Short mmCIF file of all heavy atoms in Angstrom, two decimals:
data_model
loop_
_atom_site.label_atom_id
_atom_site.label_comp_id
_atom_site.label_asym_id
_atom_site.label_seq_id
_atom_site.Cartn_x
_atom_site.Cartn_y
_atom_site.Cartn_z
N ARG A 1 0.84 -1.21 -0.01
CA ARG A 1 0.02 -0.01 -0.02
C ARG A 1 0.86 1.26 0.01
O ARG A 1 1.98 1.23 0.53
CB ARG A 1 -0.89 0.05 1.22
CG ARG A 1 -2.06 -0.91 1.21
CD ARG A 1 -2.88 -0.77 2.47
NE ARG A 1 -2.06 -1.24 3.59
CZ ARG A 1 -2.23 -0.84 4.88
NH1 ARG A 1 -3.13 0.03 5.18
NH2 ARG A 1 -1.45 -1.33 5.82
N THR A 2 0.31 2.30 -0.60
CA THR A 2 1.00 3.61 -0.58
C THR A 2 -0.01 4.65 -0.12
O THR A 2 -1.14 4.66 -0.57
CB THR A 2 1.56 3.98 -1.98
OG1 THR A 2 2.44 2.99 -2.41
CG2 THR A 2 2.23 5.33 -1.98
N CYS A 3 0.42 5.49 0.79
CA CYS A 3 -0.40 6.58 1.30
C CYS A 3 0.33 7.88 1.08
O CYS A 3 1.56 7.92 1.11
CB CYS A 3 -0.71 6.37 2.81
SG CYS A 3 -1.66 4.92 3.14
N ALA A 4 -0.41 8.96 0.95
CA ALA A 4 0.21 10.25 0.69
C ALA A 4 -0.48 11.33 1.52
O ALA A 4 -1.65 11.23 1.87
CB ALA A 4 0.14 10.61 -0.77
N ALA A 5 0.29 12.34 1.83
CA ALA A 5 -0.25 13.52 2.56
C ALA A 5 0.36 14.76 1.89
O ALA A 5 1.56 14.83 1.62
CB ALA A 5 0.14 13.47 4.02
N ASP A 6 -0.49 15.74 1.58
CA ASP A 6 -0.02 16.99 1.09
C ASP A 6 0.63 17.81 2.19
O ASP A 6 0.11 17.87 3.29
CB ASP A 6 -1.15 17.82 0.47
CG ASP A 6 -1.72 17.18 -0.82
OD1 ASP A 6 -0.92 16.56 -1.48
OD2 ASP A 6 -2.90 17.37 -1.09
N LEU A 7 1.79 18.40 1.90
CA LEU A 7 2.50 19.18 2.89
C LEU A 7 2.27 20.64 2.58
O LEU A 7 2.84 21.20 1.68
CB LEU A 7 4.00 18.86 2.84
CG LEU A 7 4.37 17.40 3.06
CD1 LEU A 7 5.88 17.19 2.88
CD2 LEU A 7 3.88 16.91 4.42
N VAL A 8 1.31 21.24 3.31
CA VAL A 8 0.94 22.66 3.06
C VAL A 8 1.31 23.46 4.29
O VAL A 8 1.45 22.97 5.42
CB VAL A 8 -0.57 22.80 2.82
CG1 VAL A 8 -0.93 22.10 1.53
CG2 VAL A 8 -1.40 22.20 3.93
N GLY A 9 1.49 24.76 4.04
CA GLY A 9 1.90 25.64 5.17
C GLY A 9 3.39 25.61 5.35
O GLY A 9 4.18 25.17 4.52
N THR A 10 3.84 26.08 6.54
CA THR A 10 5.23 26.14 6.80
C THR A 10 5.72 24.89 7.54
O THR A 10 4.93 24.24 8.26
CB THR A 10 5.56 27.38 7.65
OG1 THR A 10 4.80 27.35 8.83
CG2 THR A 10 5.23 28.67 6.93
N ALA A 11 6.96 24.59 7.36
CA ALA A 11 7.58 23.42 8.00
C ALA A 11 7.87 23.73 9.45
O ALA A 11 7.99 24.88 9.82
CB ALA A 11 8.86 23.07 7.25
N PRO A 12 7.99 22.71 10.29
CA PRO A 12 7.84 21.28 10.07
C PRO A 12 6.39 20.89 9.88
O PRO A 12 5.51 21.57 10.35
CB PRO A 12 8.42 20.67 11.30
CG PRO A 12 8.24 21.65 12.36
CD PRO A 12 8.32 22.99 11.69
N TRP A 13 6.18 19.83 9.12
CA TRP A 13 4.84 19.34 8.85
C TRP A 13 4.57 18.08 9.70
O TRP A 13 5.46 17.25 9.89
CB TRP A 13 4.69 18.97 7.38
CG TRP A 13 4.92 20.13 6.48
CD1 TRP A 13 4.07 21.14 6.16
CD2 TRP A 13 6.09 20.39 5.71
NE1 TRP A 13 4.64 22.02 5.29
CE2 TRP A 13 5.88 21.59 4.98
CE3 TRP A 13 7.35 19.77 5.57
CZ2 TRP A 13 6.84 22.15 4.15
CZ3 TRP A 13 8.28 20.32 4.76
CH2 TRP A 13 8.02 21.51 4.04
N SER A 14 3.32 17.96 10.14
CA SER A 14 2.97 16.79 10.91
C SER A 14 1.47 16.47 10.61
O SER A 14 0.74 17.29 10.09
CB SER A 14 3.13 17.01 12.43
OG SER A 14 2.28 18.04 12.88
N GLY A 15 1.12 15.20 10.89
CA GLY A 15 -0.26 14.76 10.67
C GLY A 15 -0.31 13.25 10.88
O GLY A 15 0.58 12.69 11.50
N ALA A 16 -1.33 12.66 10.27
CA ALA A 16 -1.52 11.20 10.37
C ALA A 16 -1.89 10.63 9.01
O ALA A 16 -2.40 11.38 8.14
CB ALA A 16 -2.63 10.91 11.39
N LEU A 17 -1.63 9.36 8.84
CA LEU A 17 -2.00 8.62 7.61
C LEU A 17 -2.75 7.39 8.10
O LEU A 17 -2.24 6.26 8.09
CB LEU A 17 -0.75 8.24 6.80
CG LEU A 17 0.03 9.36 6.21
CD1 LEU A 17 1.35 8.88 5.70
CD2 LEU A 17 -0.78 10.02 5.08
N PRO A 18 -4.02 7.56 8.50
CA PRO A 18 -4.74 6.42 9.07
C PRO A 18 -4.95 5.22 8.09
O PRO A 18 -5.03 4.09 8.54
CB PRO A 18 -6.10 6.99 9.49
CG PRO A 18 -6.20 8.32 8.80
CD PRO A 18 -4.80 8.77 8.46
N ASP A 19 -5.02 5.50 6.78
CA ASP A 19 -5.19 4.43 5.81
C ASP A 19 -3.99 3.46 5.81
O ASP A 19 -4.11 2.33 5.39
CB ASP A 19 -5.40 4.96 4.43
CG ASP A 19 -6.72 5.68 4.29
OD1 ASP A 19 -7.59 5.50 5.16
OD2 ASP A 19 -6.90 6.48 3.32
N CYS A 20 -2.83 3.93 6.28
CA CYS A 20 -1.64 3.10 6.34
C CYS A 20 -1.29 2.77 7.80
O CYS A 20 -0.18 2.21 8.05
CB CYS A 20 -0.46 3.78 5.67
SG CYS A 20 -0.47 3.63 3.88
N GLY A 21 -2.14 3.08 8.73
CA GLY A 21 -1.82 2.79 10.13
C GLY A 21 -0.78 3.67 10.74
O GLY A 21 -0.20 3.31 11.76
N ILE A 22 -0.52 4.81 10.15
CA ILE A 22 0.46 5.76 10.70
C ILE A 22 -0.27 6.74 11.58
O ILE A 22 -1.11 7.55 11.08
CB ILE A 22 1.23 6.49 9.56
CG1 ILE A 22 1.96 5.47 8.64
CG2 ILE A 22 2.22 7.48 10.17
CD1 ILE A 22 2.98 4.62 9.35
N ALA A 23 -0.05 6.68 12.89
CA ALA A 23 -0.71 7.57 13.82
C ALA A 23 -0.16 8.98 13.75
O ALA A 23 -0.90 9.92 14.01
CB ALA A 23 -0.61 7.00 15.26
N ARG A 24 1.12 9.12 13.44
CA ARG A 24 1.73 10.41 13.34
C ARG A 24 2.92 10.42 12.40
O ARG A 24 3.71 9.47 12.41
CB ARG A 24 2.17 10.87 14.76
CG ARG A 24 2.83 12.23 14.76
CD ARG A 24 3.05 12.70 16.22
NE ARG A 24 3.98 13.79 16.28
CZ ARG A 24 3.71 15.06 16.02
NH1 ARG A 24 2.49 15.37 15.60
NH2 ARG A 24 4.57 16.02 16.16
N TYR A 25 3.02 11.47 11.58
CA TYR A 25 4.24 11.69 10.82
C TYR A 25 4.75 13.06 11.19
O TYR A 25 3.97 13.97 11.53
CB TYR A 25 4.03 11.52 9.35
CG TYR A 25 3.15 12.55 8.68
CD1 TYR A 25 3.63 13.81 8.35
CD2 TYR A 25 1.83 12.29 8.37
CE1 TYR A 25 2.79 14.76 7.76
CE2 TYR A 25 0.98 13.20 7.80
CZ TYR A 25 1.47 14.45 7.50
OH TYR A 25 0.65 15.39 6.88
N LEU A 26 6.07 13.24 11.10
CA LEU A 26 6.72 14.54 11.33
C LEU A 26 7.82 14.68 10.30
O LEU A 26 8.71 13.86 10.20
CB LEU A 26 7.31 14.62 12.72
CG LEU A 26 8.07 15.90 13.07
CD1 LEU A 26 7.12 17.11 13.01
CD2 LEU A 26 8.71 15.80 14.47
N VAL A 27 7.73 15.73 9.48
CA VAL A 27 8.72 15.99 8.44
C VAL A 27 9.42 17.28 8.84
O VAL A 27 8.81 18.34 8.94
CB VAL A 27 8.04 16.15 7.02
CG1 VAL A 27 9.08 16.47 6.00
CG2 VAL A 27 7.25 14.88 6.68
N THR A 28 10.74 17.15 9.06
CA THR A 28 11.55 18.28 9.49
C THR A 28 12.61 18.59 8.43
O THR A 28 13.52 17.75 8.22
CB THR A 28 12.24 18.00 10.85
OG1 THR A 28 11.26 17.56 11.76
CG2 THR A 28 12.97 19.22 11.37
N PRO A 29 12.53 19.73 7.74
CA PRO A 29 13.48 20.01 6.67
C PRO A 29 14.89 20.20 7.26
O PRO A 29 15.06 20.61 8.40
CB PRO A 29 13.00 21.34 6.12
CG PRO A 29 11.60 21.44 6.55
CD PRO A 29 11.48 20.70 7.84
N SER A 30 15.88 19.85 6.43
CA SER A 30 17.28 19.99 6.78
C SER A 30 17.87 21.15 5.99
O SER A 30 17.41 21.41 4.85
CB SER A 30 18.07 18.70 6.50
OG SER A 30 17.53 17.62 7.19
N ASP A 31 18.84 21.82 6.53
CA ASP A 31 19.51 22.85 5.78
C ASP A 31 20.43 22.23 4.75
O ASP A 31 21.21 21.34 5.05
CB ASP A 31 20.31 23.77 6.71
CG ASP A 31 19.41 24.59 7.59
OD1 ASP A 31 18.27 24.87 7.19
OD2 ASP A 31 19.82 24.89 8.77
N GLY A 32 20.42 22.74 3.50
CA GLY A 32 21.30 22.26 2.47
C GLY A 32 22.65 22.97 2.55
O GLY A 32 22.68 24.17 2.33
N VAL A 33 23.68 22.27 2.89
CA VAL A 33 25.01 22.87 2.97
C VAL A 33 25.98 22.33 1.97
O VAL A 33 27.07 22.82 1.84
CB VAL A 33 25.60 22.70 4.42
CG1 VAL A 33 24.78 23.49 5.41
CG2 VAL A 33 25.64 21.26 4.81
N ASN A 34 25.58 21.34 1.24
CA ASN A 34 26.43 20.78 0.16
C ASN A 34 26.46 21.72 -1.04
O ASN A 34 25.41 22.03 -1.61
CB ASN A 34 25.87 19.40 -0.20
CG ASN A 34 26.70 18.72 -1.26
OD1 ASN A 34 27.36 19.36 -2.10
ND2 ASN A 34 26.64 17.40 -1.26
N PRO A 35 27.63 22.26 -1.38
CA PRO A 35 27.72 23.22 -2.51
C PRO A 35 27.18 22.67 -3.81
O PRO A 35 26.51 23.39 -4.58
CB PRO A 35 29.21 23.55 -2.62
CG PRO A 35 29.81 23.11 -1.34
CD PRO A 35 28.92 22.03 -0.78
N LEU A 36 27.39 21.39 -4.11
CA LEU A 36 26.86 20.81 -5.31
C LEU A 36 25.35 20.78 -5.28
O LEU A 36 24.68 21.11 -6.27
CB LEU A 36 27.42 19.40 -5.53
CG LEU A 36 26.95 18.66 -6.78
CD1 LEU A 36 27.28 19.44 -8.03
CD2 LEU A 36 27.57 17.26 -6.82
N ARG A 37 24.80 20.43 -4.13
CA ARG A 37 23.32 20.43 -3.97
C ARG A 37 22.76 21.84 -4.17
O ARG A 37 21.75 22.02 -4.85
CB ARG A 37 22.97 19.88 -2.59
CG ARG A 37 21.53 20.00 -2.16
CD ARG A 37 20.66 18.97 -2.83
NE ARG A 37 19.25 19.19 -2.49
CZ ARG A 37 18.34 18.26 -2.56
NH1 ARG A 37 18.67 17.07 -3.00
NH2 ARG A 37 17.11 18.54 -2.28
N LEU A 38 23.40 22.84 -3.58
CA LEU A 38 22.93 24.19 -3.74
C LEU A 38 22.99 24.66 -5.19
O LEU A 38 22.05 25.32 -5.68
CB LEU A 38 23.76 25.14 -2.86
CG LEU A 38 23.67 24.95 -1.35
CD1 LEU A 38 24.63 25.82 -0.61
CD2 LEU A 38 22.23 25.17 -0.89
#
């Protein structure tokens, strides 16, 4: 199974994916410091 959640608003994002049995998700952005990535 695959479940999805739209990430709207400002980070960090949190919520639940009950269709996949996920009671809570937390997405915390990381700072990009790799010059090639930038």
